[in-house]
Amino acid sequence: MPTALIIYASKTGETAEIANMIALGIQEAGCQTDASPAGNVTSDEQLEGYDAYALGSSVYNEQMLPELEDVLCRLSRLPVRGKVGAAFGSYEWNQEVPGIIHKSLEQDCGLVMAGPALAVKPPFLGHMQEQARELGRKVAQMSLANSEAN
């Protein structure tokens, strides 16, 4: 069964909540998930062996949090090309950061993205929860299709 790794950097808990909803969608569609705050990822080995990666960050001072930037750098050095990816984040003023994460996952890491970046302006309510779960379901569907093809 494919497994997705969800890594998030959250200042106020909003981005962690989005990560939880994405994980729920992945699980609903039949895949397993592991999740970790970005600050807990301290080695390349913690990123290896997954079929999909969903990364997200809160926006602070108009940028992604540095701990997620470190994870993106680590991931770009690993053989993950062709695996499934998703990007998400919460913002107050700059909604571009989730798109920057998306671009890095796609261009620097070579992931096949499950959809556009999910950018959420707090509070994280109702319809946005469903969008996060739907992104998770898409990640799982693509991961399942990849595992069947291999």
Side-chain angles (χ1 to χ4, degrees), residues 8 20 22 25 29 35 38 53 77 101 105 123 131 138 142-143 146:
Y8 57 91
N20 289 336
I22 291 171
Y53 298 87
R77 296 189 305 252
I101 297 167
L105 289 172
Q131 285 182 330
K138 181 72 173 172
M142 290 175 66
S143 297
N146 283 354

Side-chain angles (χ1 to χ4, degrees), residues 88-102:
F88 62 96
S90 61
Y91 68 96
E92 287 291 335
W93 307 107
N94 183 353
Q95 67 182 9
E96 296 175 11
V97 168
I100 293 168
I101 297 167
H102 182 281

Side-chain angles (χ1 to χ4, degrees), residues 23-141:
L24 184 59
I26 291 169
Q27 292 162 2
E28 288 171 347
C31 291
Q32 296 177 339
T33 59
D34 289 334
S36 176
N40 290 354
V41 178
T42 58
S43 71
D44 291 355
E45 291 77 27
Q46 291 172 278
L47 300 171
E48 294 174 343
Y50 290 94
D51 303 288
Y53 298 87
L55 274 65
S57 178
S58 300
V59 176
Y60 186 71
N61 287 337
E62 305 299 315
Q63 298 178 30
M64 76 179 82
L65 296 178
E67 56 266 34
L68 190 77
E69 209 164 344
D70 292 345
V71 170
L72 277 168
C73 184
R74 285 182 184 281
L75 194 61
S76 71
R77 296 189 305 252
L78 297 176
V80 296
R81 186 163 302 283
K83 295 191 179 199
V84 179
F88 62 96
S90 61
Y91 68 96
E92 287 291 335
W93 307 107
N94 183 353
Q95 67 182 9
E96 296 175 11
V97 168
I100 293 168
I101 297 167
H102 182 281
K103 183 177 178 181
S104 180
L105 289 172
E106 187 173 46
Q107 293 181 359
D108 301 334
C109 302
L111 299 184
V112 178
M113 302 305 286
L118 179 63
V120 178
K121 184 170 177 122
F124 183 57
L125 299 171
H127 72 284
M128 295 308 288
Q129 289 182 347
E130 183 51 38
Q131 285 182 330
R133 286 172 66 183
E134 182 56 36
L135 180 58
R137 288 190 287 270
K138 181 72 173 172
V139 167
Q141 290 163 357

